[in-house]
Amino acid sequence: MDATHSMFCNNDLVNPLSSMGMQVSCILVVSHVFNVVFRTVGQPGPIAQILAGLVLGPMSHIEYIKATFFPASSINYYEVVSYFCRIHFMFLFGLEMNIHYTMRNLRIVSLVACGGAIMGGVFGLSVSFYLHQQLNTIDNAPLYYFCMIIMLVVSYTSSPMVIRLAAELRFAASDVGRIAVSSALITEMGCLLLFNVMVNWRKPNHISAGFGCLVITALVVIINRYLAVWLNTRNTNQKYLKAPELMLILLLLLTCSMIIEIWGYNSIISCFIIGLLFPKEGKTARTLLHKLGYSIYNFVLPVYFGYLGLQCDLINVFKSLERAINMAILILLSIGSKLGGTLIVCRYLKIPTSEGIFLGFILNTRGYADLLFIGAAAKQVIVKAYNVLLVSIVLNTIISGVIVAFLVRGEEKMFANNHTAIEPQQMEDELRILACVYDPRQVSAILATVLAIHGSRVSPSTTYLMHLIELVKKIKSNLLYHEKENADLSDDEDYGGNDVVEINNALDNFTAETKILVQQRRAVSPFPSLYEDVCNEAEDLQVSIILLPFHKHQRIDGKLESGKEGIRITNQKVLRHAPCSVGIIVERGLARVPGFSQLVASEAIQNVATLFFGGPDDREAIAWSLRISGSPRVNLTIIRFLLSSSSQNEIIESGESEDKEILMSLSGEETVNEIDNTFMVDFYNRYVTSGQIGYVEKFVKDGAQTVESLKEIGDMYSLFIVGKGGRGQSSLTIGMSDWEECPELGTVGDVLASSDFDIHGSVLIVQQHRDAKKALLHA
């Protein structure tokens, strides 16, 4: 009792737990105030948090405050807490990393990382001899060790800082942003690996200990693979793992990390690798991303950035001109080396100079590993010199962060989405898709489309699945919190009900069968503003096309039944305001076995037809079709409708007529649109003559004959792809819009989606982005 009383009652503020709680509270409050103020001038949160720590820093060096809040007995306690936080956010970064992009662009990101790091190492080595004398090092301290530390300090890049800047300034999805994040991680892992080798080189049995670290890391990776699969199959009716199951995974991570630390090595690299190789599919990864992401991004990293500034004593450094000069040398050296090395590499890679300057500054940000480096150097230098190194690191990060923020605001074109449509892209370019669903019955058609687009090995693609949930007024309940069925879930998590579980299970089964990873998103808004969430997410992710489900669903008798009117209104608003191309999927042909929606479950070949009448939307439809033509389960045929003369009313098929006849019809006078002619001639020469894609021409006089032709092929294909419109007043579709029901689908799409039009295939209507249309016209 006396021991407990002395711990929590006597000198309560000196207790490490309470003193740290006061520090964290102060940092969070002040950083929030700074964040609100600096956000108005475009500065990101991490910079505001470091500045908040800098403001509180001088206060922490007042004797009374230092004795009260920073007692010597609490130093080890702070190190343990920071250790726990460090291993968890490195595990999270590994879990979130897009390894596929890094592997596809390994040469670029590795050269950018090595350029700044090698130049930093050379500059750091050149000045380390001078700093060894100026910083009053301890006698008999090995010079090479100090030189290596300075080289690491100058070469290092903080991946947490780069990741947070990319997220705060919204350039994480851009090409230059992804290069920056991947290069930062490579630089950080390389510096930490060199630091581990340097620290343990003279220790006995360092080779066996290093091999042991590799073995235990590999063992945890293997255990996680089986553990994640087992946990995914438990409690399939729940959204997330239970707390004990989550703690089991984190306990395994902590055990591995502690063993590596006991052996004398730093465990940051192992934690990152464990997260990187953790199975990304299923409920386990979804729970880790949700639970860890919220706590780390909202609490751990803000405190970490603030504590970085809190340790600095600016007043002490600027009291001495010599210390201020040494600090300035380190800052200029770091900026110059990173900027110079990155620009040289970017010139070699033919990356624009503006992007090279941006990469140089963002890769110059510093973080927690620098504290490890200068902590090792502190064993050879006096405390005042340690403060010089720390202040130079913090100020260097602030300067680089502020410049990065201004570059992002001033160079918007650098981070803009250059792929707002599919047609201008090459087949080798990555295609990013944002697929949306409102309820579980729409998932099968969406996932079938995703599988088809991922079938080609030549064309890489990334898909995001966004669950759109209507925000309704909350129903008041008299139940207490602990009396609710899902008391462990917040109100926000409860939106979507059982639909969320069904969609998650369908997506998990899809990933398990196809090995295609689909990243999940969620939007909860009232229907009038739901389109804004879709458009904003598409802009942030820089996708090329948004896939939306039709507001009608097919009944057992084959008729289409209207769903919520809010879904239709949302689709219409997305079509008007989308920052990229849009596709609407009308699921039909459920009686057909196997239909296109059963593409995932069936190995049968699906016959797909793309209808071409002319115009930018139809060209976009063909560009989409080319992507799915690489799938082994898709047999694609392009059907081009042409206006026939009075004496010509026939069908010319690619397998029944001479190539010259088809090329003549493509380049003849039937179509006045030269862009369409040029596009189709190029398409025919590249894909039809080689036999990759089938080609059919149908000659019609008017819209009535077009409808008859569509009825003839209604049972031949499981999916029809057509552009929304953009053809002007075409004779091919005259009269088809007299009985339109859904004008947002376009003339042909509305006919194919009509309940009165009996076809047995689903329909995909594509609308090309307006800016892409203008760019192609000017090209």
Side-chain angles (χ1 to χ4, degrees):
M1 183 67 181
D2 294 338
T4 305
H5 184 272
S6 63
M7 179 178 293
F8 292 100
C9 297
N10 295 336
N11 299 323
D12 185 49
L13 290 179
V14 182
N15 181 273
L17 183 61
S18 57
S19 62
M20 185 174 183
M22 292 294 292
Q23 291 178 50
V24 169
S25 301
C26 290
I27 291 174
L28 286 175
V29 171
V30 177
S31 64
H32 181 70
V33 174
F34 274 55
N35 193 18
V36 171
V37 174
F38 283 95
R39 191 176 289 275
T40 59
V41 292
Q43 294 304 313
I47 302 303
Q49 290 149 9
I50 294 177
L51 288 173
L54 278 177
V55 172
L56 295 174
M59 297 174 58
S60 66
H61 294 279
I62 299 175
E63 289 299 326
Y64 174 76
I65 296 178
K66 186 175 183 180
T68 304
F69 293 103
F70 300 91
S73 60
S74 65
I75 295 177
N76 292 333
Y77 183 85
Y78 296 150
E79 290 181 354
V80 171
V81 173
S82 63
Y83 160 75
F84 284 122
C85 295
R86 186 166 62 241
I87 63 173
H88 284 109
F89 68 63
M90 286 311 299
F91 172 75
L92 178 64
F93 292 157
L95 194 63
E96 292 181 331
M97 184 178 178
N98 187 355
I99 187 62
H100 300 290
Y101 174 83
T102 304
M103 296 305 298
R104 285 198 306 269
N105 301 274
L106 186 60
R107 175 175 173 269
I108 295 177
V109 298
S110 57
L111 284 176
V112 171
C114 292
I118 293 174
M119 185 69 76
V122 173
F123 278 36
L125 178 64
S126 63
V127 79
S128 58
F129 301 101
Y130 167 77
L131 293 176
H132 188 263
Q133 297 177 349
Q134 293 294 317
L135 295 180
N136 300 323
T137 55
I138 299 173
D139 295 336
N140 301 323
L143 175 62
Y144 79 91
Y145 189 82
F146 180 82
C147 293
M148 289 293 293
I149 291 294
I150 297 299
M151 290 171 64
L152 288 175
V153 169
V154 178
S155 301
Y156 173 73
T157 298
S158 172
S159 63
M161 179 64 71
V162 174
I163 290 171
R164 290 316 299 156
L165 287 176
E168 292 268 349
L169 299 174
R170 300 175 66 181
F171 62 83
S174 64
D175 290 336
V176 66
R178 295 202 286 183
I179 291 174
V181 171
S182 299
S183 299
L185 286 166
I186 291 175
T187 303
E188 183 171 39
M189 294 301 111
C191 289
L192 288 171
L193 180 62
L194 184 59
F195 177 73
N196 274 325
V197 172
M198 184 181 65
V199 170
N200 294 279
W201 185 253
R202 288 192 170 186
K203 293 181 180 180
N205 302 324
H206 65 277
I207 297 179
S208 59
F211 181 74
C213 293
L214 294 176
V215 171
I216 193 172
T217 302
L219 183 62
V220 172
V221 169
I222 295 173
I223 293 175
N224 279 339
R225 289 198 169 273
Y226 290 98
L227 182 61
V229 173
W230 178 66
L231 291 175
N232 288 339
T233 58
R234 285 170 52 87
N235 302 321
T236 55
N237 60 336
Q238 291 186 346
K239 299 178 186 178
Y240 301 111
L241 297 181
K242 295 181 178 179
E245 296 170 335
L246 181 63
M247 291 302 298
L248 176 62
I249 297 174
L250 298 181
L251 180 62
L252 192 62
L253 175 70
L254 179 61
T255 303
C256 170
S257 176
M258 292 182 68
I259 293 174
I260 293 175
E261 295 281 347
I262 291 173
W263 286 344
Y265 285 84
N266 190 280
S267 62
I268 295 175
I269 299 178
S270 295
C271 293
F272 175 77
I273 293 175
I274 292 172
L276 185 66
L277 300 180
F278 194 91
K280 303 297 194 299
E281 66 278 358
K283 182 167 48 180
T284 305
R286 190 182 303 115
T287 304
L288 288 168
L289 289 170
H290 177 73
K291 302 296 183 182
L292 286 181
Y294 180 83
S295 57
I296 286 175
Y297 290 135
N298 288 279
F299 297 103
V300 174
L301 285 181
V303 173
Y304 152 69
F305 291 134
Y307 194 71
L308 191 66
L310 185 67
Q311 298 178 74
C312 296
D313 188 1
L314 288 175
I315 298 176
N316 182 276
V317 172
F318 286 102
K319 278 183 179 179
S320 169
L321 179 62
E322 182 180 354
R323 286 197 291 268
I325 292 175
N326 292 334
M327 178 198 67
I329 290 175
L330 281 172
I331 293 175
L332 294 175
L333 193 69
S334 298
I335 295 176
S337 61
K338 284 289 183 182
L339 201 58
T342 307
L343 283 173
I344 291 174
V345 171
C346 289
R347 185 174 182 83
Y348 169 74
L349 295 173
K350 298 181 180 179
I351 296 176
T353 304
S354 58
E355 295 184 13
I357 294 173
F358 173 81
L359 288 171
F361 277 109
I362 197 170
L363 294 178
N364 190 46
T365 52
R366 312 295 169 169
Y368 67 93
D370 278 308
L371 301 182
L372 299 177
F373 301 153
I374 64 176
K379 299 176 182 179
Q380 304 180 46
V381 299
I382 61 176
V383 177
K384 293 181 180 179
Y386 173 86
N387 193 39
V388 170
L389 293 173
L390 182 60
V391 171
S392 65
I393 289 170
V394 172
L395 292 182
N396 191 23
T397 301
I398 292 176
I399 293 171
S400 298
V402 170
I403 293 175
V404 165
F406 279 111
L407 287 176
V408 170
R409 293 181 63 190
E411 297 287 343
E412 293 183 358
K413 292 183 179 180
M414 185 192 306
F415 309 99
N417 184 9
N418 297 321
H419 302 300
T420 58
I422 306 174
E423 182 189 352
Q425 299 185 45
Q426 301 296 322
M427 289 289 288
E428 297 78 17
D429 294 339
E430 180 190 22
L431 179 63
R432 300 187 211 173
I433 307 163
L434 178 62
C436 302
V437 294
Y438 296 93
D439 57 64
R441 62 185 162 202
Q442 302 161 349
V443 175
S444 59
I446 291 289
L447 292 183
T449 308
V450 171
L451 177 59
I453 205 71
H454 279 264
S456 175
R457 296 182 179 180
V458 179
S459 306
S461 57
T462 301
T463 302
Y464 304 89
L465 182 69
M466 191 172 187
H467 185 193
L468 307 181
I469 304 172
E470 180 190 7
L471 178 63
V472 296
K473 293 182 179 179
K474 294 184 179 180
I475 300 175
K476 294 183 179 180
S477 174
N478 294 325
L479 294 176
L480 299 177
Y481 181 80
H482 67 277
E483 294 176 330
K484 298 179 181 179
E485 292 184 8
N486 295 322
D488 57 330
L489 298 176
S490 67
D491 291 339
D492 191 41
E493 290 174 336
D494 210 21
Y495 285 114
N498 293 328
D499 286 356
V500 176
V501 178
E502 293 183 35
I503 291 173
N504 289 345
N505 291 339
L507 188 58
D508 294 343
N509 294 333
F510 171 79
T511 303
E513 292 179 13
T514 63
K515 307 303 179 185
I516 297 173
L517 181 63
V518 178
Q519 303 181 44
Q520 288 183 262
R521 297 292 189 273
R522 187 176 66 161
V524 182
S525 291
F527 273 134
S529 60
L530 191 56
Y531 78 98
E532 296 179 359
D533 295 332
V534 177
C535 294
N536 290 336
E537 192 71 20
E539 189 173 5
D540 290 342
L541 297 175
Q542 297 198 356
V543 299
S544 298
I545 188 170
I546 301 171
L547 295 180
L548 296 169
F550 193 42
H551 68 278
K552 294 183 180 182
H553 59 273
Q554 191 173 17
R555 300 184 312 202
I556 298 177
D557 61 0
K559 300 295 183 180
L560 292 177
E561 181 180 353
S562 295
K564 295 181 179 180
E565 185 64 20
I567 296 178
R568 181 181 185 182
I569 295 174
T570 300
N571 289 351
Q572 291 172 341
K573 290 182 177 179
V574 171
L575 284 166
R576 286 197 299 267
H577 301 284
C580 59
S581 296
V582 181
I584 295 183
I585 300 176
V586 183
E587 187 176 11
R588 302 194 64 177
L590 296 180
R592 183 188 181 103
V593 180
F596 187 78
S597 297
Q598 285 78 45
L599 183 66
V600 179
S602 173
E603 296 290 337
I605 301 297
Q606 299 288 331
N607 293 317
V608 178
T610 301
L611 312 180
F612 186 84
F613 294 86
D617 291 345
D618 281 352
R619 294 196 301 271
E620 186 78 354
I622 288 188
W624 170 271
S625 303
L626 287 175
R627 295 276 183 162
I628 70 172
S629 65
S631 174
R633 301 186 188 183
V634 172
N635 180 26
L636 178 65
T637 301
I638 306 296
I639 303 176
R640 187 180 189 190
F641 288 80
L642 294 168
L643 190 63
S644 66
S645 62
S646 57
S647 61
Q648 184 181 30
N649 187 9
E650 59 181 346
I651 300 175
I652 301 178
E653 297 188 10
S654 59
E656 299 179 359
S657 53
E658 298 294 332
D659 293 346
K660 293 181 180 180
E661 295 179 5
I662 294 179
L663 289 177
M664 287 175 64
S665 66
L666 288 174
S667 57
E669 299 179 352
E670 288 83 357
T671 301
V672 297
N673 194 328
E674 294 298 330
I675 297 179
D676 288 340
N677 281 332
T678 304
F679 177 83
M680 290 304 295
V681 168
D682 178 67
F683 164 80
Y684 183 87
N685 291 331
R686 294 176 63 181
Y687 301 104
V688 178
T689 55
S690 62
Q692 299 180 42
I693 298 174
Y695 180 85
V696 175
E697 286 184 351
K698 287 184 177 291
F699 291 88
V700 295
K701 293 182 178 180
D702 51 25
Q705 283 196 0
T706 300
V707 172
E708 291 299 322
S709 298
L710 293 176
K711 288 181 179 180
E712 292 175 3
I713 62 175
D715 294 334
M716 298 172 58
Y717 302 96
S718 60
L719 176 66
F720 294 91
I721 305 175
V722 65
K724 176 189 171 185
R727 312 175 186 95
Q729 296 294 329
S730 174
S731 300
L732 299 172
T733 57
I734 288 179
M736 293 177 62
S737 60
D738 292 345
W739 299 278
E740 66 180 5
E741 299 177 17
C742 303
E744 67 269 18
L745 300 182
T747 304
V748 180
D750 186 33
V751 171
L752 294 173
S754 174
S755 297
D756 299 329
F757 194 78
D758 187 20
I759 63 172
H760 295 88
S762 299
V763 185
L764 173 61
I765 298 96
V766 180
Q767 173 187 275
Q768 189 179 70
H769 187 238
R770 296 185 184 90
D771 290 345
K773 297 177 185 178
K774 296 177 182 178
L776 289 170
L777 288 173
H778 291 298

